[in-house]
Each structure stands twice: as structure tokens, then as C-alpha cells.
């Protein structure tokens, strides 16, 4: 028996709130989640109509309020090199050490793609402009990105992002652990051995989850959607059942050797806290493994 030397990477994703009430919720959530000593809080960029300034302001705010490192997301679509470089230098000045580099999505019918078509080009830009300063995370899709030509080309795209200089990846959320483990097998066949941290979506609302999943290409298994749908407006039962499902998913991922867990909090901490506490993640940081 020997100690597993690699600690689990635990992170929580927030989005910049648009209202004072939203900010209050975020304050409570970040202070609660601070208690589990996460490796970092990430802040989305441009998702759900938030602005570039919203992300930068929230990075500054979390940097002051939370004693957890902050990792901003940065998406390149619709931006030029000068604007992206400017943001990177602002983050560097703030002491940010990790960024999540994405392509992003243009709202339908709005604007032009700009100079950058793919996230791999953003990774190249970050390395060109800031050398090895940032730890770069990229996105990975165990159930395949909706616009990918096929599953194989999507894995090749991930390889391209690592070749451009990314360090590790976070996945789109999924509820079928086999999707993740088969994806890792496919990555290994392409000699991709960088850490790929599963993205975890706690279940809070049935309709929102279905809508969101449709848009981002995450599959909700029929057994899960049927069960959640049957609860109707009974939000408490949806959360309770969702909790059980997500807890068991995390357990299987950790038992299978996932390098960490990245929680899509949607700015709410309670379910994430319950899952983390039940998993006793920090205890498992130094879990015993046979060697
Ligand atoms: P890419 O890696 O560029 O891939 C996009 C598509 O193009 C894929 O289908 C890929 O297979 C294909 N592709 C890539 N390169 C090539 C090539 N050379 N030739 C042909 N096809 C190619 N969105 C936001 O707007 N803000 C956020 O903060 C945000 N955070 C996210 C965090 C995580 C962890 C994840 C998983 C997603 C996040 N997203 C966010 C969503 C993301 O921006 C979208 O999924 C977007 O559609 C793709 O981004 P990407 O970085 O994966 O793009």
C-alpha cells in the first residue's frame, strides 16, 4: 500500500450575476464553498449574455473576498488579438495564474466570428503573449461537441489544444460515467495523457436542465429525465433524487481515477456542498491505493 501522491483538483464555476440579488446569492455561495478549500473558483465569460467587464469585475471581487485562487474563462470568438491580449495582461496584473481557454458561441444572428475560429488558436495566442505564465485549461466533450464532424475529430481537436500548450481539460457535464471512461480510452489511443477533470452538474430544475442540455449537447439519460419529469413541480424531490444520482456519479468517477471534480454551481452552493460532504473529498485526497 502507498499513498496516492496526486491530490484531487476540486473547483467551482460561477457566472457573473446581473442583479444585486444575484450578487448576494453569489456572496453566500462563494463563502460557503470557500470552506472546503477548493483549488480554484472559475468565472464564466460571455456565457448567458454576460459581458467581458462582468467577468473581469467578478475576478477582482472574488480575488478580494475569497481566499481561493480565481480562474477566469476566456473565449475568443468575436474578439481580436489586441482585446484578448489586453484581458490576459489585466489578469496577469491581478495575479491570476490559471485561465480556461474556450472558443465560445456567438448568439445566433449576432456579430462576426472575428480573428479566431477555434479554442486551439486562443491557446496558441496565450502561449505567444504570456509564455508559460498561465496554467491553461480547455474544454473536452465525452459525449462529443454538438458541432464536431464526429467523435474522433473531436478527440483530435482536444489533442490540438494540448499540442498548442494547454495543460489540462474540464469536460462538459454528463450523467453516464461510461461516457467519460470511454472518452479517456479514446484520448489514450491518441497519446493524450493530460488531466481531464469531469464537469459535474448538480440537478436543480428539470426544465432548465433539459433546455440547457439540448443546447450544449449533454445527454440526459431517459431513466433520469423520466424520473425527474414525474416529480413535476416538486422541486425538493427533484433535488433530492438529483443529489443521489450526482453523488453516485462522482463516486464512480473518483473510484475510476478521475483527477478531480469541477462543479457547475450556477451560483448556488447547497447541492455542491452536500455532494462534497457526502463524498468526503478532502479525506479522499490522500486515499490509499495499492501499489
Ligand atoms: P473548440 O475546441 O474550438 O471546438 C469547437 C468545435 O470546433 C468542436 O466541434 C471541435 O471539434 C471543432 N473544431 C475545433 N478545431 C477544429 C478544426 N481545426 N477543424 C474543424 N473542426 C474543429 N462558453 C462561453 O461562452 N463562456 C464560458 O465561460 C464557457 N465556459 C465553458 C466551460 C467548460 C468547462 C466547457 C466544457 C464549456 C464552456 N463553454 C463556455 C462552452 C463552449 O464555449 C462551447 O461548448 C463552444 O461551442 C465550444 O468551445 P470549445 O472551447 O470547446 O471550442
Amino acid at each position: 500500500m502507498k499513498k496516492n501522491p496526486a491530490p484531487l483538483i476540486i473547483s467551482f464555476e460561477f457566472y457573473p450575476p446581473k442583479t444585486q440579488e444575484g450578487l448576494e446569492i453569489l456572496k453566500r455561495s462563494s463563502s460557503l464553498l470557500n470552506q472546503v478549500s477548493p483549488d480554484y473558483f472559475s468565472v464564466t465569460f460571455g456565457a448567458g449574455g454576460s459581458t467581458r467587464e462582468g467577468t473581469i469585475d467578478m475576478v477582482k471581487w472574488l480575488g478580494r473576498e475569497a481566499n481561493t485562487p480565481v480562474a477566469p474563462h476566456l473565449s475568443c470568438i468575436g474578439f481580436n488579438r489586441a482585446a484578448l491580449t489586453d484581458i490576459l495582461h489585466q489578469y496577469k496584473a491581478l495575479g491570476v495564474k490559471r485561465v480556461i481557454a474556450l472558443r465560445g458561441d456567438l448568439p445566433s444572428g449576432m456579430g462576426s466570428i472575428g480573428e479566431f475560429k477555434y479554442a486551439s488558436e486562443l491557446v496558441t495566442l496565450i502561449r505567444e503573449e504570456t509564455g508559460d505564465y498561465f496554467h491553461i485549461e480547455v474544454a473536452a466533450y465525452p459525449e462529443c461537441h454538438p458541432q464536431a464532424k464526429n467523435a474522433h475529430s473531436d478527440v483530435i481537436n482536444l489533442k490540438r489544444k494540448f499540442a498548442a500548450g494547454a495543460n489540462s481539460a474540464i469536460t462538459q457535464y454528463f450523467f453516464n460515467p461510461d461516457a467519460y471512461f470511454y472518452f479517456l480510452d479514446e484520448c489514450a489511443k491518441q497519446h493524450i495523457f493530460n488531466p481531464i477533470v469531469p464537469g459535474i452538474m448538480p440537478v436543480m430544475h428539470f426544465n432548465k436542465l433539459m433546455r440547457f442540455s439540448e443546447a450544449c449537447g449533454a445527454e440526459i439519460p431517459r431513466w433520469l429525465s423520466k424520473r425527474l419529469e414525474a416529480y413535476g413541480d416538486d422541486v425538493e424531490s427533484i433535488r433530492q433524487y438529483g443529489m443521489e444520482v450526482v453523488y453516485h456519479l462522482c463516486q464512480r468517477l473518483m473510484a475510476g481515477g478521475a483527477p478531480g471534480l469541477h462543479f457547475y454551481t450556477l451560483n448556488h452552493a447547497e447541492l455542491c456542498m452536500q455532494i462534497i460532504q457526502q463524498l468526503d473529498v478532502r479525506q479522499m485526497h490522500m486515499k490509499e491505493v495499492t501499489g
Side-chain angles (χ1 to χ4, degrees):
M1 298 281 266
K2 66 177 183 190
K3 295 279 184 190
N4 182 353
L8 280 172
I9 304 155
I10 300 296
S11 51
F12 298 104
E13 178 174 312
F14 298 119
Y15 65 86
K18 290 189 197 128
T19 61
Q20 188 56 36
E21 189 194 352
L23 183 62
E24 295 306 320
I25 293 172
L26 176 70
K27 280 182 185 172
R28 282 198 297 280
S29 297
S30 57
S31 107
L32 201 60
L33 292 171
N34 238 334
Q35 293 171 18
V36 298
S37 308
D39 291 274
Y40 64 93
F41 286 148
S42 84
V43 183
T44 64
F45 179 91
S50 63
T51 62
R52 149 196 149 140
E53 282 70 28
T55 303
I56 298 172
D57 287 349
M58 194 167 143
V59 168
K60 288 181 184 163
W61 180 81
L62 275 172
R64 285 194 306 270
E65 298 288 318
N67 55 355
T68 293
V70 186
H73 297 208
L74 182 58
S75 57
C76 56
I77 206 155
F79 288 92
N80 62 28
R81 188 178 187 100
L84 293 166
T85 305
D86 175 58
I87 297 172
L88 288 167
H89 286 300
Q90 288 195 50
Y91 289 146
K92 222 176 144 179
L94 289 168
V96 166
K97 302 287 275 185
R98 183 190 295 253
V99 290
I100 290 108
L102 303 143
R103 183 196 71 176
D105 293 302
L106 274 185
S108 53
M110 270 183 66
S112 73
I113 287 179
E115 264 178 68
F116 299 91
K117 221 170 152 194
Y118 298 116
S120 54
E121 299 165 29
L122 174 61
V123 175
T124 301
L125 177 148
I126 298 171
R127 289 294 176 233
E128 283 171 359
E129 295 290 340
T130 60
D132 287 338
Y133 177 81
F134 288 108
H135 177 108
I136 304 177
E137 303 274 357
V138 287
Y141 301 85
E143 293 176 338
C144 196
H145 184 265
Q147 291 155 10
K149 205 165 90 198
N150 53 48
H152 175 71
S153 72
D154 214 25
V155 172
I156 298 301
N157 176 46
L158 181 60
K159 190 177 168 86
R160 210 178 280 123
K161 294 193 270 193
F162 285 129
N167 301 94
S168 44
I170 304 169
T171 76
Q172 185 56 275
Y173 66 88
F174 54 87
F175 292 96
N176 175 2
D178 288 336
Y180 173 76
F181 293 120
Y182 279 121
F183 181 70
L184 290 193
D185 289 347
E186 289 308 308
C187 288
K189 284 182 202 160
Q190 299 303 324
H191 307 284
I192 299 171
F193 298 108
N194 303 61
I196 299 177
V197 173
I200 305 295
M201 177 66 90
V203 178
M204 295 183 215
H205 303 280
F206 173 67
N207 288 332
K208 272 191 201 163
L209 180 69
M210 294 304 284
R211 255 201 326 273
F212 197 51
S213 304
E214 178 70 33
C216 71
E219 189 174 278
I220 309 298
R222 189 177 156 80
W223 58 266
L224 178 56
S225 67
K226 286 287 168 193
R227 182 79 184 254
L228 294 174
E229 189 179 19
Y231 287 124
D233 294 335
D234 181 357
V235 175
E236 198 37 54
S237 295
I238 290 175
R239 289 180 185 203
Q240 197 50 46
Y241 182 65
M243 239 292 286
E244 258 175 60
V245 170
V246 174
Y247 164 68
H248 285 116
L249 170 67
C250 293
Q251 257 193 333
R252 284 203 48 198
L253 293 169
M254 287 163 68
L261 298 170
H262 176 82
F263 288 87
Y264 296 103
T265 70
L266 303 180
N267 289 2
H268 289 274
E270 292 75 15
L271 287 174
C272 300
M273 268 310 257
Q274 283 176 34
I275 295 166
I276 293 275
Q277 280 164 347
Q278 283 199 28
L279 286 170
D280 203 1
V281 168
R282 288 295 159 198
Q283 191 73 9
M284 290 169 93
H285 257 195
M286 293 301 287
K287 69 179 179 224
E288 303 242 292
V289 293
T290 48

